[in-house]
Amino acid sequence: MNVNSQPDIRSEAIAVDVDRVSKIFGGEPPVTALDDVSVAIRQNEFFTLLGPSGCGKTTLLRLIAGFEPPTSGSLRLGGRDISRLPPNKRPINTVFQNYALFPHMSVAANIAFGLQMLGKPKAEVRDTVDEMLKLVQMEALKNRRTSEISGGQQQRVALARALAPHPEVLLLDEPLSALDYKLRKEMQIELKRLQGETGITFIFVTHDQEEALTMSDRIAVMNAGKILQVGPPREIYNRPVNRFVADFIGETNFLTGTAQGDAVRISSGHMIAVPLDGRTGDVTLTVRPEQVRLCPVDQDGALHAEISDLVYFGTDTHCHLALKDGTQIVARLQSLPTGEVGYMRGQAVGLRFEPGAVQVVGA
Amino acid sequence: MATVKPKPAAKTERSTWLLTAPALVLLTVAATGPLFIMLIYSFLEPGQYGNVVWKFSTKAWFNVILQRDIFDGTLTWADAHLTILWRSVKLAMTTTVFAVLVGFPTAWFIATRTPRMRLFMLFLITIPFWTNLLIRTFAINQIIRNEGVLNSFLLWIGVIDAPIQIIYSDFAVFLGMTYVYLPLMVLPLYAAIDRFDMRLLEAAYDLYANRWQALRRVVLPIVKPGLIAGSILVFIPALGAYVTPRILGGGRNMMIGNFIDLQFGQGRNWPLGAALSVILLIFVTSMLILYVRFVNRSTDNG
């Protein structure tokens, strides 16, 4: 630690501070992978970088790990500038997307590698390896070669290998994407448990919004090299700052209209009351399908619509509705025990939105 | 597909043999045959003007390791032969080490270029293969001899006052040998490095390994089969090499290759030459067996 640095109460709680970092890859034409990104990741936090492929999330992770230098801006770890440190000098470990386990070593040797490189005494290495094997429940397979174990087991070894040197920050690059659905669910819970037990800051990269919502303390939604929104899962889901975030996280409906006083006249002519925060002119509204309710046509304040399609999804049924002007809205209805929802295609219905469910997401 | 009638097993086997026959005949006549002739010759007596006399004798084998004094008939070790053999082994080993030291960075460099660049560089590496060994060796000679390109250039820019004696030194021989056999090292190493997953290197750095540790603990163990294959490919021909040592070393130090050549020429002792060749063959074969064992073991539980 830098003894000369001013003690700053705020920075104590910050594990990784990404300060105005840009990354431009040379070539013809040059590619801007990260465009002036700033984000502060707190200590002992499960932080997720979420975005479509090519949004720069993996690049940001590689910058934090030290595999690439930033083109501009700086990275700080616990207040210390690490922008120019090589990866082997950073107390940060990575779980790679395809695990990158050493194929010529046993499971135990893989886990011991980082500790050996740090020059830990033999006894300590052995004890930590045993502890890690126990933590990921791989004791029985410690002498196997990594090519002889299943994908899920390799995943556990990769985790144990990265956790063994007890890094300040653990980076996880889409570690669950190669696993099948059921195993992925198990590992999500497992990861969350490990994070709680070890008290290490986790930075998790994924393109799977459901994974991000389930596991994270906070999520940063990225697109085209920029961070669009940072916040806890509930905030990201319920208060998206723009159309991209609303669209990328979960499913949603968009309505366009014009602000009139404290309400919006949408394209079908209906008036919808919504907090406008002083916006005027054209606005886009969003509302989640599960916040849309069907009601009798003649109910007070109901929007008039016709059911254009019903799609069965098991626990619920997606009801596609068309407003007078053709605007499409999806409502998520709970399926009845019979598998029906009590409505038919072509039926005229009324619809209303749960109070507070409609959000403005931009012009 | 048409229905396949099950053929009688014997008939299938016969046609398999017939189809392999040309290859088998060629292998027997062209590969195994000469070796047998060599082995038989080593047990015959030398003819006066070369060739052999068809009379069984173990004298050639006896002469390989022992020699009888011409004057008093006492037996001593044939230390001349052993010195020559040892000199050849030493030269082959040094060449192999030099080839690894130069070949590994070269192969690594090529394997980490763009695919187009890689093809071009591999092409450059293989070009010398299409040129006669003698011509290549004389080309090196032209460069390093006292009036050669290198010395003229150094004299011209004034770094030296008198030509440096490079040619006809051990260094010249190592230089020439390394140059001649380098492609045999680079190609298998390139193949191994090309298969190497560079993410493993990132994983090693991520786990606090420095460059040297990453090379020793991760890269070398994984590319080891390529390294060993290259070493064998360089070592074996280097062991029998005699053109390069003679041209660049000035022919002062005889190699086992020169010595065998001599027995079939001026020495007029074909059985001794044959016996020495068989010994060289046994030496090389046991090296290969060791290699195969070694590679198998390292892929089983390394």
Side-chain angles (χ1 to χ4, degrees), chain A residues 218-264:
Chain A
R218 285 196 306 155
I219 299 172
V221 184
M222 295 184 68
N223 189 37
K226 283 182 182 297
I227 291 184
L228 304 176
Q229 187 174 5
V230 182
R234 281 185 180 79
E235 193 182 304
I236 297 273
Y237 187 80
N238 292 316
R239 302 273 179 274
V241 292
N242 63 23
R243 192 178 170 126
F244 179 87
V245 176
D247 199 23
F248 191 74
I249 313 284
E251 287 168 53
T252 198
N253 296 299
F254 291 111
L255 300 166
T256 52
T258 323
Q260 290 185 357
D262 53 0
V264 172

Side-chain angles (χ1 to χ4, degrees), chain B residues 138-216:
Chain B
F138 273 111
I140 289 263
N141 187 325
Q142 283 300 312
I143 292 172
I144 61 174
R145 70 198 174 94
N146 289 2
E147 304 79 29
V149 178
L150 184 67
N151 271 316
S152 310
F153 177 72
L154 290 179
L155 280 170
W156 180 65
I157 61 167
V159 176
I160 50 171
D161 300 325
I164 322 168
Q165 182 66 40
I166 306 174
I167 193 122
Y168 308 139
S169 68
D170 284 349
F171 175 75
V173 176
F174 293 142
L175 184 78
M177 292 285 280
T178 307
Y179 162 71
V180 166
Y181 295 111
L182 193 62
L184 296 172
M185 178 62 78
V186 170
L187 294 178
L189 262 180
Y190 166 79
I193 294 170
D194 191 40
R195 278 197 306 271
F196 179 78
D197 182 354
M198 292 295 163
R199 285 173 305 188
L200 295 180
L201 202 57
E202 285 190 347
Y205 289 145
D206 188 65
L207 292 161
Y208 313 109
N210 57 34
R211 281 162 178 274
W212 168 243
Q213 287 167 324
L215 178 72
R216 201 174 60 83

Side-chain angles (χ1 to χ4, degrees), chain A residues 62 67 87-88 90-94 96 98 100-105 113-114 116-118 145 161 165 167, chain B residues 197 199-211 213-214 217-219 221-222 298-302:
Chain A
R62 290 177 60 80
F67 300 135
N88 57 330
R90 301 185 186 196
I92 296 173
N93 289 138
T94 309
F96 293 86
N98 294 303
L101 295 176
F102 302 127
H104 57 297
M105 295 183 192
F113 190 86
Q116 287 167 347
M117 294 300 112
L118 286 172
R145 299 257 305 226
R161 184 179 71 172
Chain B
D197 182 354
R199 285 173 305 188
L200 295 180
L201 202 57
E202 285 190 347
Y205 289 145
D206 188 65
L207 292 161
Y208 313 109
N210 57 34
R211 281 162 178 274
Q213 287 167 324
R217 294 286 306 269
V218 177
V219 179
I222 294 175
S298 67
T299 44
D300 281 349
N301 55 13

Side-chain angles (χ1 to χ4, degrees), chain B residues 55-266:
Chain B
K55 200 171 135 206
F56 179 79
S57 158
T58 54
K59 216 173 132 211
W61 284 97
F62 178 81
N63 276 338
V64 168
I65 44 169
L66 294 172
Q67 61 187 12
R68 195 179 292 277
D69 197 287
I70 322 169
F71 300 109
D72 57 12
T74 50
L75 282 177
T76 47
W77 292 108
D79 43 5
H81 298 178
L82 296 176
T83 309
I84 290 169
L85 186 65
W86 171 235
R87 191 184 293 139
S88 293
V89 170
K90 215 164 57 180
L91 175 68
M93 287 200 296
T94 318
T95 304
T96 310
V97 171
F98 273 42
V100 170
L101 291 180
V102 180
F104 188 86
T106 312
W108 186 274
F109 181 79
I110 296 173
T112 49
R113 297 306 102 183
T114 58
R116 267 181 65 124
M117 202 62 182
R118 266 184 251 172
L119 279 179
F120 176 66
M121 286 179 159
L122 285 176
F123 168 73
L124 288 184
I125 287 279
T126 45
I127 279 183
F129 265 166
W130 306 335
T131 318
N132 183 287
L133 174 65
L134 262 175
I135 295 172
R136 275 188 286 160
T137 310
F138 273 111
I140 289 263
N141 187 325
Q142 283 300 312
I143 292 172
I144 61 174
R145 70 198 174 94
N146 289 2
E147 304 79 29
V149 178
L150 184 67
N151 271 316
S152 310
F153 177 72
L154 290 179
L155 280 170
W156 180 65
I157 61 167
V159 176
I160 50 171
D161 300 325
I164 322 168
Q165 182 66 40
I166 306 174
I167 193 122
Y168 308 139
S169 68
D170 284 349
F171 175 75
V173 176
F174 293 142
L175 184 78
M177 292 285 280
T178 307
Y179 162 71
V180 166
Y181 295 111
L182 193 62
L184 296 172
M185 178 62 78
V186 170
L187 294 178
L189 262 180
Y190 166 79
I193 294 170
D194 191 40
R195 278 197 306 271
F196 179 78
D197 182 354
M198 292 295 163
R199 285 173 305 188
L200 295 180
L201 202 57
E202 285 190 347
Y205 289 145
D206 188 65
L207 292 161
Y208 313 109
N210 57 34
R211 281 162 178 274
W212 168 243
Q213 287 167 324
L215 178 72
R216 201 174 60 83
R217 294 286 306 269
V218 177
V219 179
L220 287 182
I222 294 175
V223 302
K224 194 166 65 183
L227 196 65
I228 294 172
S231 300
I232 298 250
L233 286 179
V234 170
F235 185 83
I236 291 174
L239 194 60
Y242 67 101
V243 171
T244 313
R246 184 184 280 174
I247 295 173
L248 298 178
R252 287 175 305 176
N253 291 330
M254 195 175 273
M255 297 294 153
I256 188 83
N258 305 81
F259 190 61
I260 292 171
D261 175 42
L262 193 67
Q263 301 313 316
F264 287 95
Q266 294 124 296

